[in-house]
Amino acid sequence: MAVLEIRQFPDKILRKKAEPVTTITESERDLIRDMFEAMYLSSGVGLAAPQVGVSKQIIVCNPTGQRSDELAIINPHVRYRKGKKVKDCEGCLSIPEISAEVVRFLKISVTGKDPSGKDFELEAEGLLARIIAHECDHLEGVLFIDRIGFFKRKALVNKYKKKTGITCIGKWY
Ligand code: NI
């Protein structure tokens, strides 16, 4: 098992659209296992493959941290978002030290393949819906800081620079 390094903003891979997975093999399943471990090590609840340097459409989620609640989706496709819009605090393992309130739909329906290659559809609500939406955003190169207002984002990025010492953000927005 490999310990995967989590890429940090402004790493360019976080802004790339991830490629669909064409065949699911043992190497994708190994990657998924390693992604869960990397996520647990950082006390996260979700992770997308680009965050570990792999530009493929794979996400893992676990809202509770219990193994029975592990959810891995290959080639996730958001079918619809519905319900009321809810605001909640969100962070990202690739943008440590900062968090912000992000508005998202209460419910999401997603289709995709599980690690065995089986197609499935899932309707999620609340925290799980939020995690899936956040991770699917990663596959499009979208980060949670893109979903807040310009001035809030600017303030947050300044805080991120101060806390992490990362200064070379460039003209990312
Ligand atoms: Ni994230």
Side-chain angles (χ1 to χ4, degrees):
M1 202 181 73
V3 177
L4 300 173
E5 184 205 338
I6 295 177
R7 302 293 186 90
Q8 282 193 17
F9 177 77
D11 192 305
K12 282 195 173 68
I13 197 162
L14 298 172
R15 289 305 193 185
K16 251 181 89 180
K17 247 177 115 105
E19 295 293 325
V21 176
T22 46
T23 40
I24 301 168
T25 66
E26 213 41 55
S27 98
E28 279 72 31
R29 285 186 279 273
D30 281 347
L31 172 67
I32 287 168
R33 272 190 289 272
D34 291 344
M35 282 171 64
F36 273 117
E37 293 316 312
M39 183 184 89
Y40 296 136
L41 272 175
S42 304
S43 307
V45 289
L47 197 65
Q51 292 182 273
V52 294
V54 180
S55 201
K56 283 185 185 174
Q57 294 179 14
I58 299 175
I59 64 169
V60 300
C61 316
N62 190 335
T64 67
Q66 291 182 354
R67 296 274 169 176
S68 56
D69 288 327
E70 287 187 344
L71 173 70
I73 316 177
I74 298 160
N75 299 338
H77 170 69
V78 177
R79 277 197 56 227
Y80 59 80
R81 299 171 168 89
K82 68 176 188 184
K84 55 179 182 187
K85 287 184 171 178
V86 264
K87 200 189 245 187
D88 208 348
C89 194
E90 226 170 272
C92 178
L93 294 180
S94 291
I95 323 176
E97 309 283 354
I98 60 166
S99 60
E101 292 208 302
V102 180
V103 177
R104 296 199 190 262
F105 283 98
L106 183 65
K107 292 182 183 174
I108 195 170
S109 173
V110 67
T111 59
K113 288 182 185 296
D114 72 11
S116 70
K118 221 173 89 191
D119 287 304
F120 72 98
E121 182 175 350
L122 171 81
E123 190 181 88
E125 197 178 320
L127 177 61
L128 182 59
R130 179 172 290 275
I131 300 168
I132 292 171
H134 176 117
E135 302 315 327
C136 286
D137 270 358
H138 272 298
L139 303 182
E140 300 290 322
V142 173
L143 303 170
F144 82 94
I145 51 173
D146 304 331
R147 297 204 175 273
I148 59 178
F150 176 81
F151 292 105
K152 276 189 185 166
R153 184 160 69 231
K154 237 181 139 108
L156 214 57
V157 169
N158 281 334
K159 190 173 165 192
Y160 178 73
K161 284 182 184 171
K162 268 196 202 121
K163 290 238 183 188
T164 61
I166 297 170
T167 50
C168 50
I169 303 285
K171 274 189 151 184
W172 56 274
Y173 49 85

